[in-house]
Structure formats: structure tokens, C-alpha cells
Amino acid sequence: MNINKTALMLMLFCLFFGGLYAQTKKPVSHTGTTSSVARGKIVYANICLACHMADGGGVQNMNPPLIQTTYVLGDKTALIKIVLNGFKEDVEINGQTYSNNMTPHSDLKDQQIADVLTYVRKSFGNKASTVTMAEVKKVRAANVTK
Ligand code: HEC
């Protein structure tokens, strides 16, 4: 009888801690596109959203949209430079002109810039490739700020 009790306790013990282990074991990936997009969404919410809006639609004649623009979908070096240096050119996007200035965000870490640009390039209906930390690092190193 005693032995059975011990065995039962052991079984319950294993079930309990086995279950706990299974619950806490969920792998959290720190690399890969999915987590870059997830992190980028947070950077976007904290910094870019105020001007470019949650849906990337911007504000007419003030802050341009980030939906299917040549800047967002195009050359990654140019796009990274916009975040590092800001942007102060008069541009016409989807028939609207924008002459407000975008402030530089060179205080962001390479990974944060990679994440936020990956998020932007894969959100709002955009389907462009990932931006990596290495790419940002390279552009920052070669970047001569005015
Ligand atoms: C203070 C408001 C403001 C913030 C914050 C801001 N932007 Fe901008 N952004 C602008 C304005 C204004 C322009 C257009 C500048 C011009 O016409 O010279 C612009 C232009 C752009 C462009 C190029 C034009 C286009 O619409 O494709 C991109 C890409 C961009 N911003 C991305 C970002 C990202 C990513 C962030 C966050 C890291 C960000 N911006 C934060 C105001 C802002």
C-alpha cells in the first residue's frame, strides 16, 4: 500500500512539473523575419506612427503615406538613409506634395532601424524584402551626414 502511494505521488509530481515545463518551454525566437516585424511594430508605434499614422496612410499634404511608395519599396540604402538623416526634399507622392521635414532618427540602434523598416516594408499592403541589421550598419558606416 505504501509503495503504491509513493508511486502515485511520483506520478503526480511528474505530471505537475512536466506540465509546468511544457508551459514555460515555448521557444522565443530572437531572429527571423517574424520577430523582426513584431519588434519593428513597436518601434513604429513609438516613433513613426505619430506622423505616418497607424495604417501608414500619413496625413495629406503634411506627412506622406508609407503605402506602396517608391521610397518604401525601392532601394534599401536610400530608405535607411531617410531614417538616419531625416528627409527634407519637396516630394510628390500619389499626387500630393509634401514639404514638411522629417527629423533624423540616427539615435535608433541598427537593429531597431532594420526592424522598423522590415515592418514598414511588410505592412500596409507592402510586400518588400527584409532589411537586416548588417545592411543598416553598412549604410551608417558609409553615411556622411550633412
Ligand atoms: C515628425 C514627423 C515624422 C516622423 C516622426 C517620421 N516621419 Fe517619415 N516623413 C515625414 C515627412 C514630413 C516626410 C516627407 C519629407 C519631405 O517631404 O521632405 C517623411 C518621409 C518619409 C519617407 C519617404 C517618403 C514616403 O512616404 O515613402 C519614409 C520612407 C519615411 N518617412 C519613413 C519613416 C519612418 C520609418 C519613421 C520612423 C522611424 C518616420 N518616417 C518618422 C514625417 C515624419
Side-chain angles (χ1 to χ4, degrees):
M1 219 37 187
N2 244 344
I3 289 181
N4 274 348
K5 234 180 181 171
T6 312
L8 191 71
M9 289 300 287
L10 204 71
M11 228 172 77
L12 284 173
F13 181 86
C14 289
L15 275 175
F16 181 69
F17 284 100
L20 265 190
Y21 180 68
Q23 264 182 25
T24 51
K25 222 191 81 184
K26 283 200 190 91
V28 179
S29 163
H30 294 287
T31 54
T33 308
T34 312
S35 48
S36 181
V37 168
R39 287 190 307 260
K41 188 175 179 168
I42 296 168
V43 178
Y44 186 87
N46 288 335
I47 298 173
C48 325
L49 186 147
C51 295
H52 293 286
M53 300 293 124
D55 63 355
V59 180
Q60 247 188 35
N61 292 116
M62 284 182 66
N63 308 312
L66 302 177
I67 303 169
Q68 306 278 335
T69 72
T70 46
Y71 301 94
V72 170
L73 302 179
D75 179 49
K76 287 198 250 180
T77 300
L79 182 59
I80 293 166
K81 278 186 180 169
I82 289 178
V83 176
L84 284 173
N85 301 343
F87 199 46
K88 23 177 157 317
E89 282 162 36
D90 288 358
V91 285
E92 192 181 315
I93 294 171
N94 301 344
Q96 303 284 330
T97 47
Y98 296 92
S99 46
N100 277 0
N101 288 348
M102 174 171 151
T103 44
H105 293 280
S106 51
D107 50 320
L108 290 173
K109 296 191 172 75
D110 293 344
Q111 185 68 64
Q112 290 178 303
I113 293 176
D115 290 341
V116 76
L117 291 180
T118 297
Y119 168 72
V120 166
R121 280 165 65 91
K122 292 186 183 298
S123 305
F124 321 135
N126 299 325
K127 289 189 180 67
S129 62
T130 309
V131 175
T132 67
M133 190 175 90
E135 285 167 329
V136 177
K137 196 175 173 167
K138 217 171 121 188
V139 174
R140 198 197 290 265
N143 193 32
V144 186
T145 328
K146 306 146 254 172

